[in-house]
Amino acid sequence: MEPSSRIPGFYDLSAEERLSVVKAFAGLADEEARALAGSDGLNLARAGQMIENVIGTFALPLGVATNFTINGRDYLVPMAVEEPSVVAGASFAARLARQGGGFRATSDPPLMIGQIQILGVADPWSARFRLLAERERILAMANRQDPVLTGLGGGARDVEVRVFETSPVGPMLVVHLLYDVRDAMGANAVNTAAEALAPLLEEISGGRVTLRILSNLADRRLARAHCRVPVAALAHEGFAGERVAQGIVEAWALAAVDPYRAATHNKGIMNGIDAVVIATGNDWRAIEAGAHAYAARTGRYTSLSHWSLSDDGYLVGTLELPMAVGMVGGATRVHPAARAALKLLGVGSARELAEVLAAVGLAQNLAALRALAAEGIQRGHMALHARQVAMAAGATGELVARIAEQMVREGKVRSDRAEELLREMRGV
Ligand code: NAD
């Protein structure tokens, strides 16, 4: 039987106890557990091979979200994030979704887009025609660049040609190379293929190739998630489930129509997604760029998710966004903790990872909307924020909680008050 991600009391365990639960769940080796714990993670020598001018490494808290069921399988989800409430929120929402059968998720094949810009073409429409007529030759040339990828069944799939009749530098052609990158994020593979096509595209078009680079608007590589929560499960502190569910749909509606709200709403979705993207060593700037560009694809920036109420008593949520993540390449195999985090997730492909990420994004969105609808985000958030303010003021040990509680009670969560309380409590 598969182990369950529903682990009552996980929250109350010590970090060491949690790690041993996680280790048993995923069958991690000692060194993988140590990599997650940070005691045997990224060392200076390895870091120095990853980027330039290294002087150290930078740690973030690594938490594990529980309760996730996605496509009938249970996952423990590693999340690297500095913001309080994200891991708790994801776990809480996953528990709600579990009551409706968990998340369902799907993903497109891992198709990335390489862009090749061509300038100086006399008749762009004729050049477009010639380029498309030579589709097979272009694909064959692209497929000679990465024998590993083509050997794995990946490689160039299609060619599209877009014409911009006017631009600040005159008429412009943009060739899109659609490229299946299998289990990689694919930036390097696509950039290499796009680079290699330049001479051939110049020959066919008669123009001058300028940029050849990956697009982060990976809209051929979407992941989507779906969940349904029994409305009764949303009841909270005297509020009926129907009222909370209605509040969630109303809160979502503002994000659907107003970019000012949509930006924050989508940020909440990305709170969850980025944390897993970072924990697995993936490129979160790429994911952020893709998500927000996709949210604005109609010309008006809007919510990435949808929420509605079904006739049979469920709150129903869906989320769709580009998900260019890999489980090979980049830092995924180089960073020991990222490697161990991927093992903990137990995903067998980049597509499965993308599906988990979509589910986590939807869960995070549900957690934030529910908090907004049911209790007002301030109360839950303030308690954790107050702890950070207390720590920043120099509180340690049990004083952190005492000062935080006092500040929340007084409604004065401020550094000056934290310092004052610290002096009082220390008796100085
Ligand atoms: P990569 O080049 O490190 O690894 C991918 C390669 O691994 C493939 O080309 C293939 O040759 C090989 N491979 C082995 N097994 C594979 C499998 N099962 N599936 C697929 N490929 C397999 O990494 P990448 O994914 O091409 O690029 C990701 C990196 O590029 C990230 O670190 C990212 O930050 C960076 N990057 C991003 C951008 C951008 O987002 N605009 C631009 C440039 C670089």
Side-chain angles (χ1 to χ4, degrees):
M1 210 179 84
E2 293 237 338
S4 172
S5 66
R6 169 96 195 92
I7 309 173
F10 191 69
Y11 183 87
D12 295 318
L13 301 178
S14 69
E16 291 77 20
E17 289 167 335
R18 287 189 206 115
L19 183 62
S20 60
V21 170
V22 165
K23 191 174 169 224
F25 178 95
L28 300 180
D30 289 345
E31 78 216 45
E32 289 164 336
R34 282 201 303 275
L36 290 178
S39 50
D40 197 6
L42 184 64
N43 61 34
L44 210 52
R46 179 64 60 100
Q49 287 158 352
M50 290 171 72
I51 65 161
E52 312 75 37
N53 296 355
V54 164
I55 56 164
T57 59
F58 183 93
L60 280 176
L62 178 68
V64 170
T66 54
N67 301 326
F68 275 87
T69 295
I70 304 162
N71 295 335
R73 209 190 128 187
D74 273 26
Y75 295 85
L76 286 181
V77 181
M79 303 180 88
V81 62
E82 85 297 348
E83 188 176 342
S85 300
V86 171
V87 179
S91 305
F92 176 79
R95 195 172 158 196
L96 289 176
R98 208 179 171 85
Q99 296 180 52
F103 295 92
R104 284 194 294 130
T106 64
S107 58
D108 296 336
L111 277 189
M112 297 298 286
I113 300 169
Q115 296 198 291
I116 300 125
Q117 176 196 29
I118 309 177
L119 296 176
V121 178
D123 176 357
W125 289 101
S126 297
R128 177 178 185 274
F129 181 86
R130 289 195 303 277
L131 285 162
L132 289 175
E134 298 270 21
R135 176 181 175 275
E136 294 307 324
R137 215 172 127 206
I138 295 169
L139 293 181
M141 163 79 92
N143 274 331
R144 283 198 286 277
Q145 309 310 315
D146 194 332
V148 176
L149 252 180
T150 41
L152 290 165
R157 291 282 186 267
D158 209 353
V159 174
E160 293 172 352
V161 184
R162 298 158 68 227
V163 175
F164 296 92
E165 285 179 357
T166 56
S167 90
V169 290
M172 193 188 290
L173 277 177
V174 181
V175 175
H176 278 191
L177 176 69
L178 304 192
Y179 199 91
D180 184 324
V181 296
R182 302 278 92 188
D183 289 322
M185 182 269 185
N188 292 317
V190 169
N191 286 343
T192 306
E195 183 79 37
L197 289 181
L200 178 61
L201 299 189
E202 286 190 338
E203 178 201 316
I204 301 169
S205 67
R208 176 169 60 87
V209 165
T210 45
L211 291 193
R212 335 117 206 231
I213 183 101
L214 176 94
S215 170
N216 284 115
L217 178 48
D219 62 358
R220 307 303 170 89
R221 197 182 187 180
L222 302 176
R224 43 194 89 72
H226 174 278
C227 72
R228 9 188 279 141
V229 179
V231 161
L234 292 163
H236 178 75
E237 286 187 7
F239 291 105
E242 286 76 14
R243 190 150 162 225
V244 177
Q246 181 67 29
I248 288 174
V249 174
E250 287 167 1
W252 161 77
L254 177 54
V257 299
D258 178 13
Y260 284 91
R261 174 60 204 154
T264 324
H265 177 96
N266 290 340
K267 189 272 182 186
I269 292 172
M270 301 314 287
N271 273 342
I273 291 176
D274 283 343
V276 185
V277 169
I278 292 169
T280 56
N282 274 287
D283 183 339
W284 74 92
R285 288 85 55 207
I287 299 302
E288 282 282 334
H292 296 293
Y294 191 66
R297 67 194 178 285
T298 61
R300 186 175 59 82
Y301 185 89
T302 184
S303 164
L304 287 164
S305 65
H306 286 82
W307 291 95
S308 61
L309 293 172
S310 75
D311 293 340
D312 57 347
Y314 285 89
L315 172 71
V316 180
T318 58
L319 171 67
E320 180 182 71
L321 73 170
M323 200 53 80
V325 285
M327 45 180 287
V328 300
T332 58
R333 297 267 168 107
V334 176
H335 192 303
R339 232 183 134 107
L342 278 166
K343 170 105 178 263
L344 161 56
L345 265 178
V347 287
S349 66
R351 283 179 73 171
E352 189 182 348
L353 176 58
E355 289 166 11
V356 169
L357 283 160
V360 172
L362 188 58
Q364 209 71 56
N365 190 215
L366 172 58
L369 290 175
R370 180 199 158 274
L372 281 173
E375 50 186 338
I377 201 149
Q378 227 34 28
R379 228 180 64 198
H381 204 263
M382 258 309 153
L384 286 157
H385 174 59
R387 292 177 65 92
Q388 285 191 331
V389 172
M391 284 189 278
T396 51
E398 55 148 25
L399 285 185
V400 176
R402 276 180 60 201
I403 291 174
E405 275 161 29
Q406 178 76 20
M407 288 193 298
V408 170
R409 242 191 329 271
E410 294 173 353
K412 286 186 198 159
V413 183
R414 295 194 317 255
S415 57
D416 58 331
R417 184 62 185 143
E419 282 161 19
E420 225 168 73
L421 285 168
L422 186 61
R423 279 196 298 274
E424 275 171 29
M425 289 182 193
R426 280 188 177 151
V428 285

